[in-house]
Amino acid sequence: MAVENLMDKLVAHCKANGFLFQSSEIYGGLNGFWDYGPLGVELKRNIKEAWWKDMCQNHNELVQPAQAPSTYDMVGLDCTIIMHPQVWKCSGHYDLFHDYMVDCRKSKKRYRFDQLRGQWVARDAQRIFVTTMAEPEHEREDISRRALKFFNLRSKDLEKLQFEDRVLTFDKLTAEDRGVVLGPDTDELGTLTDPREFNLMFKTYVGALSGEEGAAFLRPETAQGIFVNFKNVVDSTRIRVPFGVAQVGKSFRNEITPRNFTFRSREFEQMEIEFFCHPGQSSDWYQYWRNRRLQWYKDLGLDGERLKLREHEQDELSHYSCGTADIEYAFPFLPPGEYGELEGIAHRGDFDLRSHSEGKLDPKKRPLEVEMTEEGQPRHRGSGKDLSYRDDLTNERFIPHVIEPSAGADRATLAFLCQAYHEVQSSESGGKFESRVVMRFHPRIAPYKAAVLPLVKKDGMPEIAAEIYGALKKKFNVFYDEKSAIGKRYWRQDKIGTPYCITVDSQTLVDRTVTIRERDSMEQWRISIDEVVAEIEKRIGT
Ligand code: ATP
């Protein structure tokens, strides 16, 4: 199956079956925003719940003691999306969280500097750089089409053009070259501006003040809510270092070019852990979390061959970071051999707690106003609160180091959707072969865990099926279906990823047994009605 084809099919499948819809679709949609439909919401909730259970509530039960440097505690938080603006000043987001972008003076469109790609094309003595924002698999086709148009040629004249081999990103061009650049959405040369910084935080105004005094930001990550509550958590619980705080919630980034379905959205959900440990043990914990998080995706069904743990090069690291690794997945919209980030695991040292504690915010000054020292340097203004930790057994006082496994719930959902999508050939009763879709979700994350199907709508079968449905429904999300032929009903469940179908048939009326059918193997076996709930529970493994 061609890769671009697979992605198009998946997007269509997600819409047709209620996994994902474009936000505000009836008004033409809003770029970078997505809604989860009736099945999508169940899938994403199951992923977030699996994460919360495995990482926060049951973390010790699941980990072999030998794998972790020591036992540890985990608790959760749920912080606000809008916080004191100074939080973003201290975290560095206010001054540093930007991408470079270029604007097109003609089309008025905006592009991310490092994502704009293109190729040198020459005709006789004229050499121009043709840019494109087409998906990687279509970029050469788009460049040829636009170059032909620019030089006023027809498709059959393609050999009159000389193409340089490589597709380059725009940021590799020199400033002089930019005069002969053809923007992606215009027919004129030299309409793209020089790159400019663009802060990715969404700005809003709190209260009735519309001026800068009321300015605030939608959080671009959930992590900072955890750092600023560090002391509250330590003081209100009996928790001791090492411990982690987990949070799941919405984050917002005004991405310049949202793309690849939900992969890069402007509103998305994160599942983040800030893990606080003794500086002397932080390298071991960093290793632990890298392995633990990679294994989590594998346990829920992502193919190990399509997953990669990529350690950042020294020059990719933030100035305070002693190490960062990304868990990456070979998403089908990427060219073969390329991977997209699912999660970052960063060793952040003591940067965050130190930054929020040092300095002192003057309540008379406006937040975000830059205050200078006598030496003419911007003065750092943290909360002035002591965010160090005292170990009550050793009496040692230190600022804990932080390991941050930061995952995206939407990217994880997308990866599980890509992994689950399978097309299989089935023979119809007439012997004709037909291609149909099976969503092979791990049972833990499948939107419906089981479907209950009376073979026919008579002889008391619907009543027995309703009884089974009622018993299962108390524990799981279950589907009931009595319409159309049984084969069709099985396929309907395969298409939405339901792992088990339970069929009430004529044998049931004799001995109170039912057939269970497993989605992927299509194996069938019989069990007593009284064992159905326990059987499904055991197989789903919550
Ligand atoms: P990228 O390099 O892809 O922009 P990032 O390195 O900026 O991502 P982080 O700041 O480390 O991402 O955020 C942690 C996680 O949040 C990412 O691994 C990803 O799963 C998710 N995430 C970040 N930005 C987006 C987005 N625009 N849309 C969906 N998920 C996102």
Side-chain angles (χ1 to χ4, degrees), residues 97 112 220-221 253 255 262-270 272 312 326-327 341-344 404 406-412:
F97 192 53
R112 216 167 104 175
E221 60 172 33
R253 296 183 188 180
E255 299 278 1
T262 56
F263 181 83
R264 189 170 300 288
S265 313
R266 290 179 166 140
E267 174 174 343
F268 55 96
E269 254 178 304
Q270 292 186 307
E272 293 198 296
H312 281 208
D326 286 344
I327 297 177
E341 177 180 330
L342 265 183
E343 167 160 356
E404 176 189 77
S406 167
D410 306 85
R411 282 200 193 165

mmCIF file of all heavy atoms in Angstrom, residues 97 112 220-221 253 255 262-270 272 312 326-327 341-344 404 406-412, ligand 1:
data_model
loop_
_atom_site.group_PDB
_atom_site.id
_atom_site.type_symbol
_atom_site.label_atom_id
_atom_site.label_comp_id
_atom_site.label_asym_id
_atom_site.label_seq_id
_atom_site.Cartn_x
_atom_site.Cartn_y
_atom_site.Cartn_z
ATOM 1 N N PHE A 97 10.437 31.185 23.564
ATOM 2 C CA PHE A 97 9.619 30.158 22.927
ATOM 3 C C PHE A 97 9.096 30.673 21.590
ATOM 4 O O PHE A 97 7.958 31.105 21.455
ATOM 5 C CB PHE A 97 8.461 29.786 23.840
ATOM 6 C CG PHE A 97 7.716 28.557 23.417
ATOM 7 C CD1 PHE A 97 8.376 27.364 23.178
ATOM 8 C CD2 PHE A 97 6.341 28.575 23.280
ATOM 9 C CE1 PHE A 97 7.691 26.227 22.806
ATOM 10 C CE2 PHE A 97 5.639 27.439 22.904
ATOM 11 C CZ PHE A 97 6.317 26.270 22.666
ATOM 12 N N ARG A 112 6.844 28.522 8.312
ATOM 13 C CA ARG A 112 7.943 28.333 9.253
ATOM 14 C C ARG A 112 9.230 28.254 8.448
ATOM 15 O O ARG A 112 9.337 27.461 7.513
ATOM 16 C CB ARG A 112 7.720 27.063 10.069
ATOM 17 C CG ARG A 112 8.209 27.239 11.477
ATOM 18 C CD ARG A 112 7.719 26.127 12.329
ATOM 19 N NE ARG A 112 8.825 25.209 12.566
ATOM 20 C CZ ARG A 112 8.745 24.170 13.358
ATOM 21 N NH1 ARG A 112 7.627 23.891 13.975
ATOM 22 N NH2 ARG A 112 9.789 23.398 13.538
ATOM 23 N N PRO A 220 1.685 26.813 27.201
ATOM 24 C CA PRO A 220 2.191 26.024 26.069
ATOM 25 C C PRO A 220 2.676 24.647 26.523
ATOM 26 O O PRO A 220 3.080 23.832 25.700
ATOM 27 C CB PRO A 220 3.367 26.864 25.561
ATOM 28 C CG PRO A 220 3.860 27.572 26.779
ATOM 29 C CD PRO A 220 2.687 27.774 27.700
ATOM 30 N N GLU A 221 2.666 24.391 27.822
ATOM 31 C CA GLU A 221 3.012 23.066 28.363
ATOM 32 C C GLU A 221 2.400 22.972 29.749
ATOM 33 O O GLU A 221 2.143 23.997 30.390
ATOM 34 C CB GLU A 221 4.532 22.885 28.436
ATOM 35 C CG GLU A 221 5.230 23.893 29.314
ATOM 36 C CD GLU A 221 6.711 23.596 29.536
ATOM 37 O OE1 GLU A 221 7.358 23.063 28.621
ATOM 38 O OE2 GLU A 221 7.200 23.899 30.645
ATOM 39 N N ARG A 253 -0.291 25.946 21.483
ATOM 40 C CA ARG A 253 0.853 26.571 20.817
ATOM 41 C C ARG A 253 0.374 27.100 19.475
ATOM 42 O O ARG A 253 -0.233 26.334 18.703
ATOM 43 C CB ARG A 253 1.989 25.562 20.588
ATOM 44 C CG ARG A 253 2.556 25.054 21.883
ATOM 45 C CD ARG A 253 3.722 24.102 21.657
ATOM 46 N NE ARG A 253 4.087 23.509 22.926
ATOM 47 C CZ ARG A 253 5.052 22.634 23.105
ATOM 48 N NH1 ARG A 253 5.777 22.237 22.072
ATOM 49 N NH2 ARG A 253 5.325 22.148 24.303
ATOM 50 N N GLU A 255 1.206 27.234 16.544
ATOM 51 C CA GLU A 255 2.137 26.676 15.555
ATOM 52 C C GLU A 255 1.964 27.413 14.227
ATOM 53 O O GLU A 255 0.839 27.691 13.800
ATOM 54 C CB GLU A 255 1.852 25.182 15.340
ATOM 55 C CG GLU A 255 2.006 24.310 16.580
ATOM 56 C CD GLU A 255 3.454 23.928 16.857
ATOM 57 O OE1 GLU A 255 4.342 24.346 16.096
ATOM 58 O OE2 GLU A 255 3.679 23.208 17.848
ATOM 59 N N THR A 262 -3.401 15.255 13.219
ATOM 60 C CA THR A 262 -3.333 15.870 14.552
ATOM 61 C C THR A 262 -1.894 15.988 15.065
ATOM 62 O O THR A 262 -1.688 16.460 16.180
ATOM 63 C CB THR A 262 -4.099 15.003 15.563
ATOM 64 O OG1 THR A 262 -3.535 13.684 15.506
ATOM 65 C CG2 THR A 262 -5.560 14.935 15.220
ATOM 66 N N PHE A 263 -0.908 15.562 14.271
ATOM 67 C CA PHE A 263 0.470 15.505 14.778
ATOM 68 C C PHE A 263 0.923 16.872 15.293
ATOM 69 O O PHE A 263 1.512 16.983 16.367
ATOM 70 C CB PHE A 263 1.422 15.031 13.676
ATOM 71 C CG PHE A 263 2.852 14.919 14.123
ATOM 72 C CD1 PHE A 263 3.285 13.793 14.787
ATOM 73 C CD2 PHE A 263 3.758 15.953 13.902
ATOM 74 C CE1 PHE A 263 4.602 13.675 15.227
ATOM 75 C CE2 PHE A 263 5.076 15.841 14.341
ATOM 76 C CZ PHE A 263 5.494 14.703 14.992
ATOM 77 N N ARG A 264 0.700 17.915 14.514
ATOM 78 C CA ARG A 264 1.058 19.263 14.961
ATOM 79 C C ARG A 264 -0.212 20.097 14.983
ATOM 80 O O ARG A 264 -0.684 20.579 13.972
ATOM 81 C CB ARG A 264 2.108 19.879 14.033
ATOM 82 C CG ARG A 264 2.672 21.173 14.545
ATOM 83 C CD ARG A 264 3.868 21.636 13.750
ATOM 84 N NE ARG A 264 4.963 20.686 13.777
ATOM 85 C CZ ARG A 264 5.737 20.441 14.835
ATOM 86 N NH1 ARG A 264 5.554 21.117 15.941
ATOM 87 N NH2 ARG A 264 6.700 19.550 14.786
ATOM 88 N N SER A 265 -0.798 20.223 16.165
ATOM 89 C CA SER A 265 -2.037 20.983 16.313
ATOM 90 C C SER A 265 -1.744 22.236 17.124
ATOM 91 O O SER A 265 -0.675 22.383 17.709
ATOM 92 C CB SER A 265 -3.083 20.171 17.058
ATOM 93 O OG SER A 265 -3.179 18.880 16.560
ATOM 94 N N ARG A 266 -2.723 23.113 17.179
ATOM 95 C CA ARG A 266 -2.542 24.342 17.969
ATOM 96 C C ARG A 266 -3.120 24.185 19.374
ATOM 97 O O ARG A 266 -2.742 24.910 20.278
ATOM 98 C CB ARG A 266 -3.179 25.517 17.225
ATOM 99 C CG ARG A 266 -2.371 25.864 15.976
ATOM 100 C CD ARG A 266 -2.966 26.996 15.191
ATOM 101 N NE ARG A 266 -2.006 27.499 14.232
ATOM 102 C CZ ARG A 266 -2.301 27.881 12.989
ATOM 103 N NH1 ARG A 266 -3.544 27.824 12.562
ATOM 104 N NH2 ARG A 266 -1.367 28.339 12.190
ATOM 105 N N GLU A 267 -4.055 23.265 19.499
ATOM 106 C CA GLU A 267 -4.595 22.917 20.823
ATOM 107 C C GLU A 267 -4.422 21.418 20.959
ATOM 108 O O GLU A 267 -4.855 20.669 20.081
ATOM 109 C CB GLU A 267 -6.075 23.305 20.876
ATOM 110 C CG GLU A 267 -6.748 22.852 22.142
ATOM 111 C CD GLU A 267 -8.186 23.353 22.272
ATOM 112 O OE1 GLU A 267 -8.575 24.299 21.557
ATOM 113 O OE2 GLU A 267 -8.909 22.786 23.093
ATOM 114 N N PHE A 268 -3.758 20.985 22.016
ATOM 115 C CA PHE A 268 -3.497 19.548 22.154
ATOM 116 C C PHE A 268 -3.368 19.213 23.630
ATOM 117 O O PHE A 268 -3.357 20.106 24.480
ATOM 118 C CB PHE A 268 -2.220 19.154 21.390
ATOM 119 C CG PHE A 268 -0.991 19.947 21.782
ATOM 120 C CD1 PHE A 268 -0.093 19.451 22.714
ATOM 121 C CD2 PHE A 268 -0.754 21.185 21.221
ATOM 122 C CE1 PHE A 268 1.030 20.177 23.080
ATOM 123 C CE2 PHE A 268 0.366 21.925 21.579
ATOM 124 C CZ PHE A 268 1.264 21.426 22.509
ATOM 125 N N GLU A 269 -3.305 17.908 23.904
ATOM 126 C CA GLU A 269 -3.198 17.498 25.304
ATOM 127 C C GLU A 269 -1.854 16.864 25.582
ATOM 128 O O GLU A 269 -1.342 16.113 24.743
ATOM 129 C CB GLU A 269 -4.306 16.513 25.638
ATOM 130 C CG GLU A 269 -5.374 17.151 26.485
ATOM 131 C CD GLU A 269 -6.496 16.194 26.786
ATOM 132 O OE1 GLU A 269 -7.087 15.661 25.845
ATOM 133 O OE2 GLU A 269 -6.774 15.976 27.965
ATOM 134 N N GLN A 270 -1.326 17.161 26.756
ATOM 135 C CA GLN A 270 -0.051 16.563 27.158
ATOM 136 C C GLN A 270 -0.241 15.660 28.369
ATOM 137 O O GLN A 270 -1.177 15.851 29.158
ATOM 138 C CB GLN A 270 0.956 17.662 27.498
ATOM 139 C CG GLN A 270 1.385 18.457 26.279
ATOM 140 C CD GLN A 270 2.484 19.438 26.609
ATOM 141 O OE1 GLN A 270 2.334 20.230 27.532
ATOM 142 N NE2 GLN A 270 3.570 19.396 25.872
ATOM 143 N N GLU A 272 2.272 14.751 31.242
ATOM 144 C CA GLU A 272 3.643 15.072 31.673
ATOM 145 C C GLU A 272 3.908 14.603 33.106
ATOM 146 O O GLU A 272 3.027 14.648 33.962
ATOM 147 C CB GLU A 272 3.891 16.579 31.584
ATOM 148 C CG GLU A 272 3.883 17.071 30.142
ATOM 149 C CD GLU A 272 4.537 18.441 29.982
ATOM 150 O OE1 GLU A 272 4.014 19.420 30.552
ATOM 151 O OE2 GLU A 272 5.556 18.542 29.283
ATOM 152 N N HIS A 312 19.486 13.207 22.015
ATOM 153 C CA HIS A 312 19.803 14.488 21.364
ATOM 154 C C HIS A 312 21.305 14.709 21.292
ATOM 155 O O HIS A 312 22.041 14.337 22.197
ATOM 156 C CB HIS A 312 19.190 15.655 22.148
ATOM 157 C CG HIS A 312 17.725 15.820 21.878
ATOM 158 N ND1 HIS A 312 17.082 17.019 21.972
ATOM 159 C CD2 HIS A 312 16.782 14.925 21.503
ATOM 160 C CE1 HIS A 312 15.811 16.858 21.671
ATOM 161 N NE2 HIS A 312 15.602 15.597 21.399
ATOM 162 N N ASP A 326 14.378 11.558 22.661
ATOM 163 C CA ASP A 326 13.017 11.550 22.138
ATOM 164 C C ASP A 326 12.617 10.126 21.811
ATOM 165 O O ASP A 326 13.420 9.361 21.268
ATOM 166 C CB ASP A 326 12.925 12.371 20.838
ATOM 167 C CG ASP A 326 12.995 13.867 21.109
ATOM 168 O OD1 ASP A 326 12.803 14.265 22.277
ATOM 169 O OD2 ASP A 326 13.235 14.622 20.154
ATOM 170 N N ILE A 327 11.363 9.803 22.126
ATOM 171 C CA ILE A 327 10.804 8.542 21.633
ATOM 172 C C ILE A 327 10.114 8.900 20.331
ATOM 173 O O ILE A 327 9.244 9.776 20.295
ATOM 174 C CB ILE A 327 9.819 7.941 22.641
ATOM 175 C CG1 ILE A 327 10.555 7.607 23.937
ATOM 176 C CG2 ILE A 327 9.150 6.695 22.052
ATOM 177 C CD1 ILE A 327 9.689 7.064 25.042
ATOM 178 N N GLU A 341 8.462 12.829 16.564
ATOM 179 C CA GLU A 341 8.525 12.750 18.033
ATOM 180 C C GLU A 341 7.162 12.427 18.653
ATOM 181 O O GLU A 341 6.165 13.070 18.367
ATOM 182 C CB GLU A 341 9.023 14.100 18.571
ATOM 183 C CG GLU A 341 9.047 14.151 20.079
ATOM 184 C CD GLU A 341 9.530 15.493 20.639
ATOM 185 O OE1 GLU A 341 10.342 16.151 19.979
ATOM 186 O OE2 GLU A 341 9.074 15.851 21.740
ATOM 187 N N LEU A 342 7.188 11.425 19.538
ATOM 188 C CA LEU A 342 6.003 11.080 20.318
ATOM 189 C C LEU A 342 6.107 11.678 21.712
ATOM 190 O O LEU A 342 5.137 12.100 22.311
ATOM 191 C CB LEU A 342 5.972 9.571 20.536
ATOM 192 C CG LEU A 342 5.195 8.653 19.648
ATOM 193 C CD1 LEU A 342 5.294 7.231 20.169
ATOM 194 C CD2 LEU A 342 3.743 9.080 19.618
ATOM 195 N N GLU A 343 7.319 11.671 22.222
ATOM 196 C CA GLU A 343 7.553 12.067 23.619
ATOM 197 C C GLU A 343 9.003 12.478 23.793
ATOM 198 O O GLU A 343 9.888 11.892 23.159
ATOM 199 C CB GLU A 343 7.227 10.850 24.508
ATOM 200 C CG GLU A 343 7.703 10.975 25.928
ATOM 201 C CD GLU A 343 6.999 10.037 26.892
ATOM 202 O OE1 GLU A 343 6.065 9.318 26.486
ATOM 203 O OE2 GLU A 343 7.399 10.020 28.069
ATOM 204 N N GLY A 344 9.238 13.462 24.652
ATOM 205 C CA GLY A 344 10.606 13.841 24.978
ATOM 206 C C GLY A 344 10.876 13.509 26.440
ATOM 207 O O GLY A 344 10.010 13.732 27.295
ATOM 208 N N GLU A 404 12.021 14.843 33.170
ATOM 209 C CA GLU A 404 10.691 15.167 32.641
ATOM 210 C C GLU A 404 10.317 14.290 31.443
ATOM 211 O O GLU A 404 10.758 14.563 30.334
ATOM 212 C CB GLU A 404 10.656 16.633 32.206
ATOM 213 C CG GLU A 404 9.352 17.037 31.562
ATOM 214 C CD GLU A 404 9.401 18.419 30.954
ATOM 215 O OE1 GLU A 404 9.982 18.577 29.869
ATOM 216 O OE2 GLU A 404 8.900 19.348 31.589
ATOM 217 N N SER A 406 7.740 13.861 28.856
ATOM 218 C CA SER A 406 6.641 14.712 28.401
ATOM 219 C C SER A 406 6.061 14.153 27.108
ATOM 220 O O SER A 406 6.690 14.183 26.050
ATOM 221 C CB SER A 406 7.211 16.114 28.185
ATOM 222 O OG SER A 406 6.303 16.898 27.479
ATOM 223 N N ALA A 407 4.827 13.630 27.232
ATOM 224 C CA ALA A 407 4.212 12.950 26.083
ATOM 225 C C ALA A 407 3.009 13.736 25.584
ATOM 226 O O ALA A 407 2.389 14.478 26.338
ATOM 227 C CB ALA A 407 3.755 11.554 26.505
ATOM 228 N N GLY A 408 2.685 13.553 24.327
ATOM 229 C CA GLY A 408 1.495 14.190 23.769
ATOM 230 C C GLY A 408 0.393 13.150 23.639
ATOM 231 O O GLY A 408 0.592 12.108 23.012
ATOM 232 N N ALA A 409 -0.772 13.437 24.238
ATOM 233 C CA ALA A 409 -1.874 12.463 24.174
ATOM 234 C C ALA A 409 -2.401 12.333 22.749
ATOM 235 O O ALA A 409 -2.814 11.260 22.321
ATOM 236 C CB ALA A 409 -3.002 12.877 25.110
ATOM 237 N N ASP A 410 -2.371 13.433 21.992
ATOM 238 C CA ASP A 410 -2.904 13.374 20.628
ATOM 239 C C ASP A 410 -1.932 12.654 19.696
ATOM 240 O O ASP A 410 -2.339 11.901 18.825
ATOM 241 C CB ASP A 410 -3.189 14.785 20.112
ATOM 242 C CG ASP A 410 -4.078 15.519 21.079
ATOM 243 O OD1 ASP A 410 -3.548 16.104 22.063
ATOM 244 O OD2 ASP A 410 -5.292 15.477 20.899
ATOM 245 N N ARG A 411 -0.640 12.904 19.905
ATOM 246 C CA ARG A 411 0.336 12.184 19.066
ATOM 247 C C ARG A 411 0.312 10.703 19.371
ATOM 248 O O ARG A 411 0.443 9.871 18.476
ATOM 249 C CB ARG A 411 1.744 12.735 19.280
ATOM 250 C CG ARG A 411 1.927 14.016 18.540
ATOM 251 C CD ARG A 411 3.364 14.360 18.309
ATOM 252 N NE ARG A 411 3.426 15.739 17.885
ATOM 253 C CZ ARG A 411 4.514 16.478 17.864
ATOM 254 N NH1 ARG A 411 5.656 15.947 18.259
ATOM 255 N NH2 ARG A 411 4.472 17.726 17.457
ATOM 256 N N ALA A 412 0.151 10.348 20.655
ATOM 257 C CA ALA A 412 0.079 8.927 21.010
ATOM 258 C C ALA A 412 -1.165 8.328 20.353
ATOM 259 O O ALA A 412 -1.103 7.255 19.748
ATOM 260 C CB ALA A 412 0.034 8.756 22.519
HETATM 261 P P1 ATP B 1 8.121 19.400 18.156
HETATM 262 O O1 ATP B 1 9.631 19.430 18.035
HETATM 263 O O2 ATP B 1 7.468 18.307 17.373
HETATM 264 O O3 ATP B 1 7.479 20.737 17.978
HETATM 265 P P2 ATP B 1 8.571 19.716 20.932
HETATM 266 O O4 ATP B 1 9.925 19.116 21.096
HETATM 267 O O5 ATP B 1 8.406 21.180 20.882
HETATM 268 O O6 ATP B 1 7.823 19.034 19.670
HETATM 269 P P3 ATP B 1 7.809 19.290 23.613
HETATM 270 O O7 ATP B 1 7.828 20.705 23.971
HETATM 271 O O8 ATP B 1 8.898 18.394 24.085
HETATM 272 O O9 ATP B 1 7.617 19.126 22.040
HETATM 273 O O10 ATP B 1 6.382 18.705 24.053
HETATM 274 C C1 ATP B 1 6.206 17.403 24.552
HETATM 275 C C2 ATP B 1 5.245 16.593 23.715
HETATM 276 O O11 ATP B 1 4.039 17.327 23.482
HETATM 277 C C3 ATP B 1 5.757 16.256 22.323
HETATM 278 O O12 ATP B 1 6.587 15.128 22.349
HETATM 279 C C4 ATP B 1 4.476 15.995 21.581
HETATM 280 O O13 ATP B 1 4.005 14.666 21.814
HETATM 281 C C5 ATP B 1 3.503 16.956 22.216
HETATM 282 N N1 ATP B 1 3.363 18.149 21.358
HETATM 283 C C6 ATP B 1 4.177 19.228 21.320
HETATM 284 N N2 ATP B 1 3.733 20.119 20.417
HETATM 285 C C7 ATP B 1 2.612 19.572 19.866
HETATM 286 C C8 ATP B 1 1.673 20.005 18.872
HETATM 287 N N3 ATP B 1 1.801 21.186 18.276
HETATM 288 N N4 ATP B 1 0.640 19.196 18.549
HETATM 289 C C9 ATP B 1 0.478 17.993 19.158
HETATM 290 N N5 ATP B 1 1.321 17.539 20.107
HETATM 291 C C10 ATP B 1 2.370 18.310 20.460
#
